[in-house]
Amino acid sequence: MAGWWSFGGAFLLFFGILLVSYLYKINWIKDLRLEGDNKTVLANHLESKKRKLGKLPPVYPNGWFALLESSQLDKGQVKHVAALGQNFAVFRTDNGTVRILDAYCPHLGANMAEGGRVKGDCLECPFHGWQFRGSDGQCNHIPYADKVPHIARTKTWKSCEANEIIFVWYHAEGLEPNWQPQTISHVLNRTWRYHGRNEFLINCHIQEVAENGADSAHLSAVHGPAIFTKIANFFSSFARHSWTNVNWTPHNSFLKSQDSKEIKAIKQDDENLRHRAYMTLRHSLILFEKFKLLQLDVNVQQIGPGYVELMMHTSLGSMCIFQTVTPMEPLLQKVTHLLYSPPLLGPYASMLFLAECLMFERDVAIWNRKKFEKQPLLVKEDKSILAYRRWYAQFYSQHSPSYHSAIKSLQW
């Protein structure tokens, strides 16, 4: 009888969350480094100072990184974003084009993103009114000078917009981008709607976030217990999450697994897809070790070092979560998830997204405290972790900043 009463409570809770998700978009913003009362926050801060870092890979990989969401930047608006060891002035021109310049004016060092003004395709410095073109960084107007020196220019950064996200191209060697994120058609034609977001600040190396996709063994250990165990312990006695059909594959290996027609089609779409990797898994909520609920198949594409597309297929329809990982500092990552789905699927998609938020918090709790193991002790079942690290190494180059060089550049 108690078991069925618990089942009824879970059933009511399920539909309660469904109703709340329908009425409100999920906007889940957390810095889990600061959770708890003042004593807990202080203890966590002191503990993080004693944490061993391990032998870290370079802290800023080469690739496209999210700086803002498109909705956060209106026409004629400029914003300052500090990330990847740089200070960016991100602005949208009067015709809607996104431009990114180095934030500091080469004249006397004012931050043009703080109080600067957008003038057509230019950004005007608030200190002396110098105007710099967003297209090439050239200064084309100094209000009190008869002539603009030809050397008066600031650094420009390649940018693009995809899936309502503004990306910047970062490369330690200054190479031009040979790929960029592509907008999913359902988002482009607005047949799928935005239904919410979450945002986390995490103390870890950027490589460790996506490594979870290749670490299939952690799924049962970290994500097996029911998501509501914090609310009521009795959930854990009859409910658990099952993760099956788990597979992580870099693009080159993925090609070999397809038939010749599929390979030809992929090559026609893009000749250079080495920056992609793929993951599949199936989720089920197991009740009383008999009933399977909330079954969904997840297809994941890791696109470059800091961007992931998760396609979730359920019995009611499909939805998508975009994950971005941006290094704000050498060991400080901002991770966001943006949810899109068909309008009628919104309430159900939002409920699953809430569950994703709770699941992701479990990973964050580990990342905030772990040490990076350059040479981990692995068993044969962990082989995909080594494959992941070999794949991820392509995003580092000769001058990619080390942890110590990046820390020095942040010191005043």
Side-chain angles (χ1 to χ4, degrees):
M1 187 69 178
W4 286 108
W5 175 257
S6 299
F7 180 76
F11 190 76
L12 291 174
L13 183 60
F14 174 88
F15 281 100
I17 293 171
L18 194 65
L19 178 61
V20 171
S21 301
Y22 178 77
L23 296 173
Y24 302 100
K25 282 187 170 66
I26 301 294
N27 191 24
W28 189 286
I29 303 175
K30 280 197 175 184
D31 183 349
L32 293 185
R33 303 168 307 159
L34 306 177
E35 287 285 282
D37 55 26
N38 290 336
K39 288 184 178 179
T40 303
V41 171
L42 178 60
N44 289 341
H45 175 72
L46 294 175
E47 183 182 343
S48 69
K49 294 294 183 182
K50 294 183 279 187
R51 181 175 68 163
K52 291 185 178 180
L53 298 179
K55 294 182 179 180
L56 297 170
V59 290
Y60 302 140
N62 301 321
W64 290 98
F65 295 93
L67 295 185
L68 294 167
E69 289 150 42
S70 297
S71 61
Q72 296 173 330
L73 193 68
D74 297 327
K75 287 183 180 180
Q77 189 175 18
V78 59
K79 288 196 174 182
H80 175 221
V81 181
L84 296 153
Q86 308 293 328
N87 288 269
F88 302 104
V90 188
F91 67 101
R92 195 181 293 279
T93 66
D94 293 338
N95 67 6
T97 304
V98 171
R99 304 290 193 189
I100 303 178
L101 298 178
D102 189 271
Y104 297 119
C105 179
H107 176 218
L108 282 175
N111 190 326
M112 296 188 291
E114 302 289 351
R117 292 172 289 274
V118 178
K119 298 292 184 71
D121 185 52
C122 296
L123 182 61
E124 183 181 88
C125 177
F127 202 7
H128 297 90
W130 290 34
Q131 293 182 7
F132 296 88
R133 287 197 299 259
S135 56
D136 59 8
Q138 181 68 47
C139 178
N140 67 355
H141 178 66
I142 299 174
Y144 55 88
D146 294 330
K147 185 179 179 181
V148 177
H150 72 277
I151 60 171
R153 64 169 57 237
T154 189
K155 181 178 175 62
T156 60
W157 296 84
K158 297 286 185 183
S159 64
C160 73
E161 282 188 89
N163 300 313
E164 302 296 316
I165 302 168
I166 297 171
F167 294 90
V168 67
W169 173 258
Y170 173 88
H171 200 289
E173 318 303 324
L175 299 183
E176 294 290 303
N178 56 0
W179 60 273
Q180 68 180 48
Q182 300 297 314
T183 300
I184 290 179
S185 59
H186 293 299
V187 176
L188 183 64
N189 61 27
R190 302 193 183 280
T191 55
W192 285 9
R193 305 276 181 82
Y194 168 78
H195 289 287
R197 70 189 296 276
N198 64 33
E199 179 181 314
F200 294 89
L201 288 175
I202 307 171
N203 281 129
C204 70
H205 190 280
I206 181 174
Q207 182 176 312
E208 295 184 284
V209 177
E211 188 166 284
N212 259 21
D215 180 12
S216 58
H218 96 284
L219 291 170
S220 295
V222 177
H223 303 294
I227 58 173
F228 300 116
T229 50
K230 283 188 177 181
I231 301 174
N233 288 329
F234 65 76
F235 278 99
S236 60
S237 64
F238 67 86
R240 66 177 177 85
H241 296 276
S242 169
W243 310 90
T244 57
N245 297 1
V246 182
N247 183 50
W248 184 94
T249 312
H251 180 72
N252 291 343
S253 298
F254 174 78
L255 279 183
K256 294 175 183 177
S257 68
Q258 309 301 307
D259 64 39
S260 57
K261 290 183 180 179
E262 289 177 317
I263 292 175
K264 186 176 292 187
I266 292 172
K267 287 185 176 180
Q268 286 175 349
D269 289 340
D270 195 336
E271 288 294 330
N272 182 20
L273 292 175
R274 290 191 308 112
H275 61 276
R276 292 179 180 249
Y278 311 91
M279 179 190 179
T280 59
L281 62 85
R282 175 171 295 168
H283 166 272
S284 300
L285 178 63
I286 309 297
L287 297 180
F288 305 108
E289 297 300 326
K290 292 182 179 180
F291 307 105
K292 289 185 178 181
L293 299 178
L294 298 177
Q295 293 191 62
L296 60 146
D297 291 306
V298 184
N299 295 323
V300 182
Q301 284 198 52
Q302 170 85 32
I303 304 171
Y307 176 59
V308 177
E309 295 176 357
L310 299 95
M311 300 295 298
M312 304 169 67
H313 307 287
T314 75
S315 57
L316 299 180
S318 298
M319 64 197 75
C320 185
I321 295 176
F322 303 117
Q323 173 183 285
T324 69
V325 187
T326 304
M328 310 307 288
E329 293 179 10
L331 292 181
L332 177 63
Q333 316 303 325
K334 183 175 82 169
V335 179
T336 67
H337 296 94
L338 307 174
L339 172 66
Y340 286 83
S341 81
L344 294 179
L345 198 62
Y348 183 58
S350 296
M351 187 207 68
L352 293 180
F353 191 58
L354 175 60
E356 186 271 345
C357 293
L358 295 170
M359 284 291 186
F360 194 74
E361 283 191 2
R362 299 180 183 183
D363 293 314
V364 175
I366 293 174
W367 288 325
N368 275 341
R369 296 168 176 85
K370 76 183 294 294
K371 167 192 171 186
F372 182 85
E373 286 288 353
K374 185 177 181 180
Q375 295 180 319
L377 178 61
L378 302 174
V379 295
K380 67 178 183 178
E381 288 79 6
D382 294 321
K383 63 182 180 180
S384 58
I385 294 176
L386 290 180
Y388 165 83
R389 292 192 175 191
R390 287 193 296 268
W391 172 82
Y392 203 94
Q394 69 180 295
F395 304 117
Y396 304 128
S397 55
Q398 182 180 359
H399 295 102
S400 293
S402 67
Y403 171 77
H404 294 291
S405 66
I407 285 294
K408 286 181 182 177
S409 70
L410 291 175
Q411 295 174 351
W412 179 255

